[in-house]
Amino acid sequence: MPEPVALKLTAKDFKSDQEVRWCPGCGDYAILAAVQSFMPELNIPRERIVFVSGIGCSSRFPYYMNTYGMHSIHGRAPAIATGLSATRPDLSVWVVTGDGDALSIGGNHLIHALRRNVNLKILLFNNRIYGLTKGQYSPTSELGKITKSTPAGSADSPFNPLSLALGAEATFVGRTIDSDRKHLQSVLRAAAEHNGSAFVEIYQNCNIFNDGAFDELKDPGTRDDYLIRLEHGQPITFGKDGQFCVVHPPGGFGLEVRETAMVSPEEIVVHDAGVAEPAYAFALSRLPGLDLRNTPIGVFRNVSRPSYDDLVQSQLEAAKAKVTGTPEDQLAGLLSSGDTWTII
Amino acid sequence: MTKQVRQLDRVVIRFAGDSGDGMQLTGDRFTSETAQLGNDISTLPNFPAEIRAPAGTLPGVSSFQVHFADYDILTPGDAPNVLVAMNPAALKANLVDLPRGADIIVNTDEFTKRNLAKVGYAANPLEDGSLDGYAVHPVGLTSMTVGALAEHDVSKKDAERAKNMFALGLLSWMYSRPYESTIRFLERKFAARPELVTANIAAFKAGWNFGETTEDFSVRYEVKPAKMPPGTYRNITGNAALALGIIAAGVRSKLPVFLGAYPITPASDILHELSKHKRFGITTMQAEDEIAAIGAALGAAYGGSLGITTTSGPGVALKGETISLAVALELPLVVVDVQRAGPSTGMPTKTEQADLNMALFGRHGEAPVAVIAPRSPSDCFHAAIEAARIALTHRTPVILLSDNYVANGSEPWLLPDVDSLPDLRVEFATQPNGEDGSTFLPYLRDPRTLARPWAIPGTPGLEHRIGGLEKADKTGDISYDPANHDFMVRTRAARIEAIEVPDLEVEDPDGDARVLVLGWGSTYGPIGAACRALRQRGQSVAQAHLRHLAPMPRNVGEVLRRYDRVVIPEMNLGQLANVIRARFLVDAIPYNQVRGLPFTAAELETMLEEVVKNA
């Protein structure tokens, strides 16, 4: 294949002429800036990039990207994007959604897009609150959360978005944080290179209705002790001084955090995003507690499976390869197939 | 013995049996043989929603009615001349529709004490004189089939199951049907099990030979071919014709076709059919739900495909929000609603026309769409092409209202010349359309159609964003401006009204009718048959049938005002009648029935006669 021509695009090329209208201080600004400055790396012409969103604060995203874009209806972006992606394999299709959009009203479409492995890059901005409707609890809000619609505290247990995606056997699952541009872009990069569904949860701060939801993961004093930065091929250790690590507990399920000093080095799990069985990445997704301690970020899972788009296109091509004659001839043949009779 | 051959001009036969007796297949084969002979045909399948309702019960009865004639006919017939009853339940469930003197062929093997008790027969109706007014032909269909297959290498169960072929053979002999197509069909159907091919053919021939030799059937009938326009014909159901129409629309528009669908009775057959024709560039997706099905179709339309979703009423209810989005996005989309009896699950295998209000008005906000309805099974082909034409030319959702009656009914179809089908090619936007030569205005409209440009992703220089938020005129930018919203709402309504549709035609052969019958959709056949019958008896009545429900033909008001009375028969509680009254201030008379069955021509004739008399 010839070397692709460098398009020499910049972040500015991806800014639309629309005034950005999120609340001042919203985490969405940081994500938008990170995405706009990452886009040139794709080296894909702007006209072949499409952002599709649902409804919610995050779903205003496409208006601000100078690409093709559709701001659709609540929860349905994965379904709409599936029809687009399956019929237009030449496009790079991105879905921008939120915790309410993707996990509440649109939960069904999300899991089915993931199990089909549609070639979509799905960015879920998780702020654990309904922002656009002014502060109701979301499907990722903590149990007991006091909001406008739950004055006595929420009685709903939250979804763990990554566990859900892995249950649907998503082929690419990652997590990052709005404020860490470098990390965010590293996960976007890996997602963009993945053929099939890439699901990326982005912890995003809603400074109006749920301010500080992820502060422990951002505060320089705590973040190193709270965050587990996953790197493919590297032993999973974390903490300011690498004092914590992740091990397979003998005889148990899943993974656990231990003090590095208390285990022998060979017991420490070496991160492998390519493990075929989703149980490994699922175990990683279960590590964080309610207090956000032991929160892994990075690429949890990155495995190869034929994408829905490829399977659909190969069926079409196989069928078309057998065709002779013009479409009109084919149609005439089809209309007169079966039992016919002629009246003279 | 030499059998007498009697000429008939028309016959109605109803095959009835248990859901598992293969009555739909038997009816379908008889229809195909009849089509080969050149009779005009109309069929009415009638079956329960349960795949295998409890055997031998009334709810489990499945029937197939076929009407064939040596002239052109419009309905599957009101009353059968012949009933084939495979068990007591089939007899009991169908006897009420039989006029005295009709032939009844019963499978006596099934008239056991237990089976009779199951359907509440205290005594055997074959013996208690209750069928005295009918020509009853008792035949041991099961035992004779098993006997005929004694030498065949098939199980007793498979032999018993071939009894429908014995019945078909007997009926084929009675009505002098050519059976070559049935032999070919059996060879295809059981290709993987050759022993079943020979057994079923043997059962068929045994039935045929039984007719020829038994003294119970002394007369054989003939119905001569109908005089139909020259050309090549095939027998077709509405769902099959609709699928072919979609394929034709893809070919004539030169666009890839994308069908998003979720299985639902009675629309699933369209999905099944289209999924077989990938070579035409047709992608079918069985989505996770009705909403995803239309969502994916809209996404494909955004990318430059002919996007289609097929469903029935409950599915349209779920799709409503996405149809509204398509109204706001102004993208082409075809929504097929094969109507069934509602509300809720209702009667999934029975027909109704009660989704008209939903099609016209069933969305939030001012969300007008185009609505069209086919009038007969073969018309579904042309209606699908017309729906695609409107959607593509005017960049709008179009709802096509079929129903169970036309979807599963069949009739002969004069195959169209492919080159005579409309040219549906459209042009995608390729260049900026702003006055400065570099700006792209996604909501700048074609002055004639008011349609906006279809600028598909992948087109350099036309990158733009669209969405459900109100858009500013021309630029498509988000706008909360009051005057702009008022303008856009009115423009979306004007866009639909700007669609060109043919004038409403009136059939009034006598030219002096004072009563007009106005219908829409699948009632065309029964209304037409009723009008013909009235005219034959010297009464004048005019018939007009609406194919386009939105926008309506421009001459509708003028046509309505020509008549003293307007009658509107519908299989709902007067949905079109309400629209006509509200819009044209015409005191139309609604005539309504919601029994899950099509109107009979006879009941419409009686009703119309009354109106004509009092006009």
Side-chain angles (χ1 to χ4, degrees):
Chain A
M1 232 163 57
E3 195 69 9
V5 180
L7 295 168
K8 298 201 178 86
L9 293 164
T10 65
K12 203 164 160 267
D13 292 311
F14 287 93
K15 290 183 179 145
S16 78
D17 59 355
Q18 299 294 297
E19 184 194 349
V20 184
R21 291 191 196 165
W22 287 308
C23 307
C26 176
D28 289 351
Y29 283 97
I31 303 173
L32 177 64
V35 171
Q36 284 169 335
S37 70
F38 164 72
M39 281 285 127
E41 263 192 47
L42 290 176
N43 202 38
I44 296 174
R46 287 181 304 136
E47 69 268 15
R48 289 212 280 116
I49 299 170
V50 187
F51 278 81
V52 182
S53 66
I55 294 293
C57 293
S58 58
S59 287
R60 299 294 175 100
F61 200 94
Y63 287 117
Y64 309 135
M65 295 294 298
N66 192 9
T67 60
Y68 281 88
M70 186 197 290
H71 177 220
S72 73
I73 41 178
H74 209 8
R76 317 303 170 199
I80 292 168
T82 294
L84 178 63
S85 184
T87 52
R88 292 291 306 274
D90 57 318
L91 301 176
S92 172
V93 183
W94 297 68
V95 170
V96 176
T97 181
D99 38 317
D101 192 55
L103 301 174
S104 207
I105 193 166
N108 200 31
H109 308 308
L110 177 71
I111 57 175
H112 286 276
L114 294 176
R115 73 154 169 108
R116 287 191 183 103
N117 202 28
V118 185
N119 197 13
L120 304 174
K121 313 306 152 205
I122 303 171
L123 311 182
L124 188 156
F125 299 9
N126 183 4
N127 55 18
R128 300 188 167 174
I129 200 77
Y130 279 77
L132 197 62
T133 50
K134 303 191 179 178
Q136 300 82 9
Y137 74 108
S138 92
T140 55
S141 297
E142 315 86 88
L143 186 67
K145 179 94 170 173
I146 293 178
T147 70
K148 271 188 190 146
S149 57
T150 51
S154 156
D156 297 21
S157 285
F159 264 138
N160 176 326
L162 296 198
S163 298
L164 186 75
L166 289 160
E169 297 191 36
T171 52
F172 182 103
V173 173
R175 178 191 284 139
T176 185
I177 301 177
D178 57 0
S179 55
D180 187 344
R181 177 182 292 202
K182 196 167 158 235
H183 187 270
L184 200 159
Q185 292 185 335
S186 74
V187 176
L188 293 183
R189 191 171 298 124
E193 284 168 6
H194 178 72
N195 181 35
S197 298
F199 178 80
V200 179
E201 180 188 30
I202 306 175
Y203 281 160
Q204 174 250 323
N205 191 45
C206 172
N207 58 321
I208 305 295
F209 295 109
N210 201 20
D211 195 24
F214 306 105
D215 271 2
E216 289 85 348
L217 306 180
K218 300 177 176 186
D219 186 278
T222 53
R223 68 185 177 203
D224 291 337
D225 287 346
Y226 275 64
L227 282 178
I228 304 175
R229 292 174 178 273
L230 298 172
E231 286 186 48
H232 183 67
Q234 296 297 316
I236 308 177
T237 59
F238 66 105
K240 227 173 282 162
D241 309 309
Q243 70 271 37
F244 303 117
C245 66
V246 172
V247 300
H248 280 294
F253 297 109
L255 301 169
E256 281 177 13
V257 171
R258 295 279 162 83
E259 285 184 41
T260 311
M262 307 297 287
V263 302
S264 61
E266 60 271 19
E267 285 181 73
I268 300 173
V269 171
V270 174
H271 180 51
D272 180 1
V275 174
E277 180 54 51
Y280 164 66
F282 188 85
L284 282 175
S285 77
R286 309 308 297 172
L287 284 173
L290 288 173
D291 58 1
L292 295 178
R293 280 185 186 277
N294 310 330
T295 298
I297 60 170
V299 179
F300 287 54
R301 175 173 163 85
N302 186 358
V303 300
S304 178
R305 168 154 74 86
S307 73
Y308 179 73
D309 316 50
D310 289 344
L311 293 170
V312 166
Q313 288 299 325
S314 64
Q315 285 189 356
L316 276 182
E317 277 158 28
K320 283 183 190 167
K322 294 179 199 150
V323 169
T324 51
T326 66
E328 271 79 5
D329 292 343
Q330 291 281 312
L331 177 61
L334 176 65
L335 296 186
S336 58
S337 62
D339 294 332
T340 60
W341 68 97
T342 301
I343 291 175
I344 303 162
Chain B
M1 102 192 208
T2 313
K3 303 252 172 162
Q4 186 191 342
V5 175
R6 200 174 295 164
Q7 298 292 329
L8 297 174
D9 59 350
R10 59 178 284 264
V11 179
V12 178
I13 300 176
R14 187 181 293 178
F15 297 91
D18 218 38
S19 296
D21 282 342
M23 289 299 96
Q24 301 304 319
L25 186 141
T26 309
D28 204 51
R29 287 321 313 159
F30 190 88
T31 303
S32 196
E33 293 174 1
T34 297
Q36 295 288 316
L37 201 71
N39 293 137
D40 197 10
I41 311 164
S42 177
T43 69
L44 176 68
N46 190 0
F47 47 87
E50 294 76 16
I51 303 304
R52 292 279 186 278
T57 62
L58 290 171
V61 173
S62 165
S63 72
F64 187 103
Q65 183 163 311
V66 51
H67 180 191
F68 54 102
D70 67 2
Y71 58 94
D72 72 310
I73 51 174
L74 295 168
T75 74
D78 294 353
N81 308 107
V82 182
L83 172 69
V84 178
M86 301 298 280
N87 63 12
L91 176 67
K92 188 157 193 189
N94 291 288
L95 193 62
V96 59
D97 296 331
L98 241 55
R100 293 272 154 177
D103 286 297
I104 303 176
I105 298 167
V106 287
N107 179 11
T108 50
D109 293 324
E110 289 290 319
F111 279 66
T112 61
K113 211 172 220 163
R114 191 161 164 271
N115 286 351
L116 290 165
K118 229 184 240 181
V119 295
Y121 273 127
N124 188 341
L126 305 181
E127 294 161 2
D128 68 0
S130 61
L131 300 177
D132 278 355
Y134 303 93
V136 180
H137 307 274
V139 184
L141 284 172
T142 314
S143 52
M144 292 180 72
T145 306
V146 171
L149 301 184
E151 304 298 311
H152 285 253
D153 183 23
V154 291
S155 66
K156 179 150 184 282
K157 197 173 156 215
D158 280 336
E160 283 178 358
R161 287 182 64 171
K163 64 182 179 291
N164 63 333
M165 284 301 116
F166 188 99
L168 179 63
L170 174 58
L171 270 290
S172 299
W173 170 83
M174 271 177 79
Y175 291 95
S176 318
R177 306 286 101 180
Y179 56 74
E180 293 76 12
S181 70
T182 292
I183 305 293
R184 281 199 303 275
F185 168 83
L186 291 170
E187 285 166 353
R188 273 199 311 275
K189 182 173 169 67
F190 297 114
R193 295 187 62 190
E195 76 278 14
L196 290 185
V197 175
T198 48
N200 276 281
I201 292 174
F204 180 92
K205 290 196 168 153
W208 180 285
N209 294 337
F210 173 72
E212 202 149 64
T213 49
T214 183
E215 294 190 6
D216 193 23
F217 296 97
S218 55
V219 186
R220 203 175 172 192
Y221 302 95
E222 272 182 15
V223 178
K224 289 263 157 61
K227 281 192 188 62
M228 290 160 76
T232 302
Y233 287 77
R234 72 187 272 193
N235 190 52
I236 193 126
T237 66
N239 271 348
L242 209 151
L244 291 175
I246 290 169
I247 296 170
V251 169
R252 299 299 284 173
S253 63
K254 306 213 180 296
L255 292 178
V257 175
F258 181 94
L259 172 77
Y262 186 78
I264 185 168
T265 303
S268 304
D269 281 341
I270 304 170
L271 166 64
H272 304 161
E273 185 62 31
L274 286 175
S275 64
K276 290 188 235 162
H277 300 292
K278 293 188 167 59
R279 65 193 162 107
F280 287 97
I282 294 170
T283 303
T284 56
M285 174 185 177
Q286 184 178 315
E288 59 268 25
D289 59 29
E290 295 281 0
I291 299 171
I294 187 172
L298 182 62
Y302 174 57
S305 291
L306 171 56
I308 295 171
T309 188
T310 49
T311 186
S312 186
V316 180
L318 286 164
K319 293 177 197 294
E321 189 189 15
T322 312
I323 299 174
S324 289
L325 175 65
V327 169
L329 297 182
E330 304 188 20
L331 284 171
L333 185 67
V334 176
V335 179
V336 175
D337 175 1
V338 185
Q339 299 166 95
R340 65 189 213 188
S344 191
T345 309
M347 301 195 289
T349 58
K350 309 298 173 189
T351 200
E352 204 158 276
Q353 293 182 295
D355 294 348
L356 178 62
N357 278 345
M358 177 165 65
L360 293 173
F361 313 117
R363 285 165 299 283
H364 61 282
E366 293 284 357
V369 301
V371 180
I372 75 168
R375 59 169 59 173
S376 74
S378 68
D379 189 40
C380 289
F381 176 82
H382 299 284
I385 294 174
E386 174 69 350
R389 177 191 74 83
I390 294 171
L392 293 170
T393 313
H394 296 268
R395 323 267 201 261
T396 177
V398 179
I399 297 181
L400 189 160
L401 289 175
S402 175
D403 67 32
N404 187 59
Y405 175 43
V406 291
N408 283 316
S410 70
E411 65 179 357
W413 176 36
L414 175 59
L415 297 182
D417 174 14
V418 168
D419 292 328
S420 71
L421 298 174
D423 183 349
L424 302 181
R425 279 175 299 178
V426 286
E427 282 183 15
F428 295 129
T430 55
Q431 299 291 327
N433 56 359
E435 280 179 12
D436 60 5
S438 61
T439 315
F440 177 60
L441 301 169
Y443 279 78
L444 185 68
R445 299 174 184 286
D446 177 284
R448 187 178 62 85
T449 61
L450 301 180
R452 74 179 192 89
W454 192 3
I456 64 171
T459 315
L462 305 189
E463 296 83 3
H464 66 284
R465 276 66 55 192
I466 54 176
L469 285 168
E470 183 60 287
K471 287 152 288 288
D473 180 35
K474 299 186 182 68
T475 65
D477 292 343
I478 300 171
S479 170
Y480 287 86
D481 178 64
N484 177 73
H485 179 56
D486 188 88
F487 174 79
M488 292 296 275
V489 167
R490 291 174 195 278
T491 302
R492 284 188 286 263
R495 254 158 63 60
I496 298 301
E497 287 304 317
I499 297 168
E500 283 180 29
V501 303
D503 271 351
L504 180 64
E505 287 177 22
V506 182
E507 193 191 308
D508 179 11
D510 302 317
D512 59 352
R514 295 170 58 205
V515 173
L516 172 75
V517 198
L518 180 69
W520 68 277
S522 76
T523 51
Y524 176 75
I527 293 175
C531 289
R532 277 188 196 175
L534 270 184
R535 288 174 197 139
Q536 272 168 13
R537 291 167 41 213
Q539 313 260 29
S540 288
V541 62
Q543 182 190 5
H545 209 75
L546 279 171
R547 173 194 199 70
H548 293 269
L549 284 314
M552 281 194 193
R554 300 197 202 299
N555 68 333
V556 171
E558 182 265 313
V559 166
L560 296 173
R561 288 186 194 96
R562 267 190 254 155
Y563 296 89
D564 296 339
R565 303 312 311 252
V566 176
V567 187
I568 304 182
E570 291 177 89
M571 294 185 289
N572 58 41
L573 295 186
Q575 299 187 7
L576 177 65
N578 282 342
V579 172
I580 293 291
R581 283 164 159 261
R583 181 145 170 205
F584 300 103
L585 296 176
V586 166
D587 187 16
I589 306 168
Y591 182 76
N592 307 107
Q593 170 198 289
V594 278
R595 304 193 306 126
L597 292 168
F599 285 108
T600 63
E603 70 185 303
L604 290 178
E605 185 188 342
T606 308
M607 179 273 295
L608 287 175
E609 185 169 26
E610 202 63 23
V611 177
V612 169
K613 214 187 293 169
N614 297 322

